[in-house]
Amino acid sequence: MAEIYHDSDADLGVLEDQTIALVGYGNQGRSQALNLRDSGLNVIVGNIEDHAGAAAKEDGFPTSDIADACKQADVVMLLIPDEAMPEVFKTDVAPNLAPGNLVVFASGYNIAFDLIMPPAYVDVTLVAPRMIGVGVRENFLSGAGFPSFVSVHHEATGNAKARMLAIAKGIGSTRAGCIEMSMHDEATLDLFTEQAFGPAFGRVLMTAIELLVEAGYPPEAVLLELYLSGEFAYAFEQMREVGMMKQMDFHSRTSQYGTVTRGARFMALSEPIKEKMSEVLEEIRSGSFADEWSKQQPTAVALFEKIREARDNMPMAKWDAVARTAFKIGNAG
Ligand code: NDP
């Protein structure tokens, strides 16, 4: 079992006299900054002078440009998009780090794939929430907290772990629990979910839609049945609440009988799916995905834009828009 840390393992006191600079005030930055301040810590915000910087000022934080915030800080938390981070780190962060500072990453990506190499005289840790930014704030306010992956990547002061856990406590994460996980493993799990589990799941959904529409069922009804009604999403929520198997008890007996008797037929698909998933996992682990996305940005971005355009022109996107309007779902209502 990996080590799991809770509130009782962390002491906010180790950050009492330290200044924490949040670099970036977006999804994670804003929520983490507000949580840390509510936990009684001394927070400043470093941002380029535009709308996010203005929002930080409006929320009452001392703000400055990134370089200046890093110069004032004992702890630097990097909360800007991963693809922008290496350049910002090189030009604004690294030159302003002092020996004994702590650098906190919310994602292992740039360290795992050698895109950022911090100097040896600073502590480097991971505090990666398993929660979107809005949830980081909401779950702090409700008292529930949220889980994170944490680890010490590099120890310079002998105090890295204590400071990392204090940050995790300050943002509200040790209330739920923080699991120890290396930067490389965190990045790999995250990318695998995005690149293998998500697309494989999406392919199954698309196959069911294609089959039912080809069989003559109205697209709007098919989408409503498969995901728009929220019934399936609710079953997923229940998996989290009561467990993957136990949630089946919430479905009718007809549903349960059909699921278990017919479900066995799809088992043969496991091996080919596993084979494709292994290919994706290997590309992530070897760093070849990171090379493609981070080191060949112009080519990768051009391909990304092309695929995005094709995606938005699929018949499925039009059916989705029609059904969403008809049933007044989400932002179409
Ligand atoms: P955002 O996209 O929300 O970051 C926006 C912030 O970054 C804004 O302050 C923006 O400034 C600033 N920014 C954008 N581009 C640049 C640039 N080129 N130079 C300097 N500043 C820039 O990021 P997230 O909060 O989504 O992600 C931050 C970190 O948290 C990442 O490491 C991510 O992997 C991790 N993470 C994110 C999660 C999520 O749910 N989003 C979940 C867990 C971890 P402005 O708007 O003023 O331009």
Side-chain angles (χ1 to χ4, degrees), residues 23-29 32 46-53 66 78-82 84-85 88 105-107 110 128-133 186 190:
V23 173
Y25 201 72
N27 291 316
Q28 288 290 329
Q32 294 198 24
N47 204 87
I48 35 184
E49 267 301 317
D50 59 9
H51 72 273
I66 294 174
L78 295 170
L79 295 165
I80 60 175
D82 292 315
M85 214 180 274
V88 173
F105 288 82
S107 147
N110 282 302
R130 274 319 178 250
M131 182 61 65
I132 58 167
E186 186 273 343
D190 198 34

